[in-house]
Structure formats: structure tokens, C-alpha cells
Amino acid sequence: MPEHLTAALTPPRPTAARADASGGGPLTPLELAAWRGFLRAHARLTRAVDADLQARHRLSLSAYEVLMLLADAPDRRMRISDLSSATILSVSGVSRLVDRLVRAGLVAKEACPEDARGAFARLTDQGATRLEAARASHLAAVRALFLARFGEAELRALAEGWERLREG
Amino acid sequence: MPEHLTAALTPPRPTAARADASGGGPLTPLELAAWRGFLRAHARLTRAVDADLQARHRLSLSAYEVLMLLADAPDRRMRISDLSSATILSVSGVSRLVDRLVRAGLVAKEACPEDARGAFARLTDQGATRLEAARASHLAAVRALFLARFGEAELRALAEGWERLREG
DNA sequence: CAAGATTGATTCCTCAATCTTG
DNA sequence: CAAGATTGAGGAATCAATCTTG
């Protein structure tokens, strides 16, 4: 860590400067810690979780999410665009991911009877098996690296905070 | 939004199930909201902030962060590996990003006198100007989309939470 | 040999264009 | 024409290999 940066990383002390902190003025140390911390925490966490999932089960976090959504869906199938809304991926991103999952045998594509434009992605038995194999260790990793670091009240505050961000 | 998912997105009600919630058992609704909310909030937020920065100033969020670090560094310069530790990028990621910034004229590379293996990236005057032009609107965006949604106590809790994650 | 940096290969994702169907 | 899905082109990031210097 470069020496000139360590000062910026000491825990911010309580400040009364928040009144200044509007518009485009420089971020207060507290604002910086909240924002950069968010970016860094996300990067560290997703890397660690993804690497774990990849090493143990040859699945990316996105692939896991899609398989999980399919497993929970009626008939174990969902349409591409619905998968897109339920994840953080674009429609074309889902299309390509589903392609890869089909090639891996974890998902099969089916035509959509009542709308011939649509396409279903359906979880195969092999996909269900792989998901089942991955689920416990993945959830344990998410708990160990993230959830377990917070108390229940904090988790509620987090969940509520994400919701508040979504509304704006 | 697929109908079968809406139930999972209603705000989690207080639950006493946290005692179960260890190991690899399924996530409680609260845990799910905290974890998925984190992933989704990050995706939405960084996309919005990045798009804004890109549209107004032709800068990616990573580029902004690097320029910012350089502006705050002594002699406006840092070494590639130090930039890597100070950001969420790998060494090769920084190397390629700095390349792009050099091509854009925002950064210049300099040899390192006391260690000929090293390379400095130095902010050019043009880079400083571009950064100055971008700073206010970028910080306003970060405030509007993220910081302003939380009170000061919440920001402190967030900053402290990220710190706690880092320690594990 | 170890450390700093670069580069080739690859992966994953996005946008825009396209095709098909409602 | 609008909506669902796919595909071509391109961007940005990573790992592993390599080169140079300590």
C-alpha cells in the first residue's frame, strides 16, 4: 500500500461536515469510506465467491443464479427475457449464458407453445444434480464471507437500504 | 417480472429462523434480500454511474479512479503495482488501462529512477483538466444515486460494515 | 530466483443490427 | 410496428507466460 494513501484509510472520525456535502464538492472521509468501501467490498466478495464456485463446481456465479431461478420456477423453466429481469444480465447476456449451459448439458431449450417468439430454458436433470451439489458449499461461502459478518438487525438494515436505492 | 418470483421480493418479515441459518441450508428470505440486494444494487449503481461518466466525460469509472489517485499522489504519479493495490484491478488490468489513458493523453509513463523494473504513471495537465471537469458531476451522481439515500448514521454503519468484511 | 510490468489468449458481457412472430 | 431472441463486433478484464532487472 503506497504510504501516501494509508492516511485516507484510517477509520473516518465523526465529522460535522455533512452540511457541506452536497452538490459536487469533494467527498467527506465518511462518504468516501461508504462509497469506495462498497465498490471494494463487492469486488472482493464476488471474486472470492465466484472463485470458490468455479473451483469446486465449475460454475460461475451468474450460472448458479440462473440454475437456481430455473430450479425454483414452475416446470423448472423460464423464458430468456424473464431470466434477464430476474438477474443483473442483459437479454443477450442471458442468451449467451444459456447457450453455454446448454452446451454443458445443464439446461435445455424448448419452444414456447403460446408465443412462438419466446424460448424456454429448462433445467435438465443433470443441471438439477449439479446445482444440488453446488448449493450447500456455495451458500456456506456466502454466509462465511458476507452474511455471518452482520447481525440480524444489520441484515435487515442492509436489505432495507438496497430497497431504498432501487426506488430512486 | 415473472409472477412466481414476486413473492420472494416482498420485504422479509421478522423471522426467528436465523438459528437454522448456518452451514449450507437454504437462505432465509432476509439473507436472500441482503445478499441478492447487494449484488443487484451494485450492478444498478455502477452501471448508472459509469454510464453518466461515460456520456458526459468519456471516462470509465475505473479510469476516473486511477486519475483521482494520481491527482492525489505526490508528484501526481504512482507505480503500476501501487495503482493495482489501490483499486479493484489486477496488475495487468491497470497496465492496460494506463495504456488507454496514455493513448488518450491523460497520463504519461515515466521510468523509475531507483528501480528500473518499475514504471510510473503520471497525470498530465490534460488529464488533470479532464479530471477536474468530471469531478463535480461525478460526485453529484454518486451522491444522488447512493450517498444521499442514507443518513449519516447509516453511512457510518456502512463504512464500518465494509471494514468488517475486509478483516475476515 | 523474486518482483515489476507487459502481452497473448481467452472469457464474459454489452450494444446494435437482424430475424421472426404477434 | 413492437416484442422476444440471437448474433456480429468490440470492450474490458483476467490468468499465465514472458521479459527485464534486483
Side-chain angles (χ1 to χ4, degrees):
Chain A
M1 178 78 60
E3 175 269 333
H4 78 277
L5 285 180
T6 50
L9 293 177
T10 54
R13 53 194 69 258
T15 170
R18 190 118 204 290
D20 304 342
S22 47
L27 295 186
T28 66
L30 176 58
E31 290 179 314
L32 203 58
W35 172 240
R36 279 211 186 138
F38 177 63
L39 298 179
R40 307 263 301 193
H42 176 271
R44 296 175 73 95
L45 228 52
T46 53
R47 268 190 248 269
V49 165
D50 203 285
D52 182 80
L53 206 42
Q54 199 71 246
R56 290 184 202 256
H57 306 285
R58 303 278 141 197
L59 288 175
S60 69
L61 185 51
S62 293
Y64 178 91
E65 293 276 351
V66 163
L67 296 181
M68 195 71 179
L69 287 165
L70 294 179
D72 288 345
D75 293 329
R76 284 177 165 179
R77 62 186 196 184
M78 286 177 70
R79 292 175 60 163
I80 283 12
S81 58
D82 287 335
L83 284 171
S84 173
S85 344
T87 61
I88 61 179
L89 294 174
S90 68
V91 170
S92 71
V94 170
S95 182
R96 291 195 143 98
L97 172 54
V98 166
D99 261 3
R100 292 194 297 271
L101 293 173
V102 167
R103 239 172 290 134
L106 308 184
V107 156
K109 270 200 269 202
E110 292 181 0
C112 187
E114 70 269 359
D115 184 345
R117 294 171 303 179
F120 278 121
R122 168 182 234 131
L123 189 65
T124 63
D125 289 344
Q126 195 189 340
T129 305
R130 277 282 283 287
L131 177 61
E132 199 44 48
R135 194 189 306 235
S137 81
H138 172 62
L139 296 185
V142 170
R143 285 210 175 87
L145 296 172
F146 183 71
L147 299 167
R149 312 300 179 89
F150 300 102
E152 182 166 347
E154 291 178 310
L155 287 181
R156 262 201 295 276
L158 281 176
E160 197 255 316
W162 308 142
E163 195 54 32
R164 222 184 303 159
L165 285 176
R166 212 175 57 77
E167 285 156 7
Chain B
M1 177 78 60
E3 175 269 332
H4 77 278
L5 284 180
T6 51
L9 293 177
T10 53
R13 50 194 72 258
T15 171
R18 190 118 204 289
D20 304 341
S22 47
L27 295 185
T28 66
L30 176 58
E31 289 180 314
L32 204 57
W35 172 240
R36 279 211 186 140
F38 177 64
L39 298 179
R40 306 263 300 191
H42 176 271
R44 295 176 73 94
L45 228 53
T46 53
R47 268 190 249 268
V49 165
D50 202 284
D52 181 80
L53 206 42
Q54 198 71 246
R56 290 184 202 257
H57 305 285
R58 304 277 142 197
L59 286 176
S60 69
L61 185 51
S62 293
Y64 179 91
E65 292 277 350
V66 163
L67 296 181
M68 196 69 179
L69 286 165
L70 294 179
D72 289 344
D75 294 328
R76 283 178 166 178
R77 63 187 195 182
M78 286 177 70
R79 292 175 59 162
I80 281 20
S81 58
D82 287 335
L83 283 171
S84 173
S85 343
T87 62
I88 62 178
L89 295 173
S90 67
V91 170
S92 72
V94 171
S95 181
R96 291 196 145 97
L97 172 53
V98 166
D99 261 3
R100 274 175 267 143
L101 293 173
V102 167
R103 239 173 289 133
L106 309 184
V107 157
K109 270 201 267 200
E110 292 180 2
C112 187
E114 71 268 359
D115 184 344
R117 295 170 301 180
F120 277 121
R122 168 183 233 130
L123 189 65
T124 63
D125 289 346
Q126 195 188 339
T129 304
R130 278 282 284 286
L131 177 61
E132 199 44 49
R135 196 190 305 235
S137 81
H138 172 61
L139 296 185
V142 170
R143 285 209 175 87
L145 296 173
F146 182 71
L147 299 168
R149 312 299 178 90
F150 300 102
E152 181 166 347
E154 292 177 310
L155 287 182
R156 262 200 296 276
L158 281 177
E160 196 255 317
W162 307 143
E163 195 54 33
R164 222 184 302 160
L165 286 177
R166 211 175 57 77
E167 284 156 10

